[in-house]
Amino acid sequence: MLKKGNKLYSILTGSCPKCHRESMYVSKNPYKPGHLFKMHERCSYCDTKYKIEPSFFYGAMYVSYGVGIAFAVAAFVIARLIIGASLIYTFIAIVATMVGFMPVIIRLSRNIWINFFIGYDPLAEKVNLKSASS
């Protein structure tokens, strides 16, 4: 299901949207303090520039709203409809989900946003700038 060449692969793994060979982020762990927003400038394999223009990822804020709503609805369904929690505990579950998954939502939104503009290129996967520069 998650194979290279699929946009879903790049979105869920945070890999380069063009070659799918390298993580866009300095640290793959979104919960590592101080590294949530740190991204590589370019892909070291295909030279894709991640920050296409200044403030490029402001658009990801709109995507994060939709992703956040999806997480909140999932928390509501699990807490209220499946577990049968009271309304106050359901509200607490939604808030806890939103706070707990905030780093994941931010990264997921950035991944979705950049994949709107850059598509997978099978030829870019074969290019290796690391070995060409040596």
Side-chain angles (χ1 to χ4, degrees):
M1 179 180 161
L2 281 182
K3 297 187 303 184
K4 286 186 177 183
N6 186 342
K7 281 200 181 283
L8 197 56
Y9 177 85
S10 176
I11 290 169
L12 295 178
T13 61
S15 58
C16 173
K18 192 169 188 178
C19 71
H20 294 182
R21 293 185 71 185
E22 175 180 78
S23 175
M24 293 188 296
Y25 302 98
V26 172
S27 173
K28 287 187 177 187
N29 183 358
Y31 291 99
K32 192 171 182 181
H35 287 84
L36 175 62
F37 296 107
K38 290 188 179 178
M39 297 179 71
H40 296 288
E41 188 68 33
R42 295 180 174 274
C43 177
S44 62
Y45 288 94
C46 67
D47 202 40
T48 297
K49 185 176 180 181
Y50 297 133
K51 297 175 185 174
I52 298 169
E53 60 186 35
S55 307
F56 173 71
F57 287 107
Y58 279 143
M61 289 189 301
Y62 295 102
V63 175
S64 102
Y65 178 77
V67 174
I69 293 296
F71 272 74
V73 168
F76 172 81
V77 168
I78 291 168
R80 184 76 173 171
L81 303 178
I82 295 175
I83 297 174
S86 68
L87 198 54
I88 190 70
Y89 286 119
T90 301
F91 176 74
I92 292 169
I94 292 170
V95 170
T97 298
M98 296 303 290
V99 170
F101 283 102
M102 182 186 62
V104 173
I105 292 170
I106 290 170
R107 288 246 179 126
L108 198 56
S109 300
R110 282 183 168 214
N111 298 347
I112 291 169
W113 185 249
I114 198 166
N115 273 278
F116 278 143
F117 300 97
I118 300 174
Y120 177 71
D121 183 5
L123 297 176
E125 185 182 0
K126 292 179 174 73
V127 175
N128 187 347
L129 292 176
K130 283 183 178 176
S131 63
S133 65
S134 299

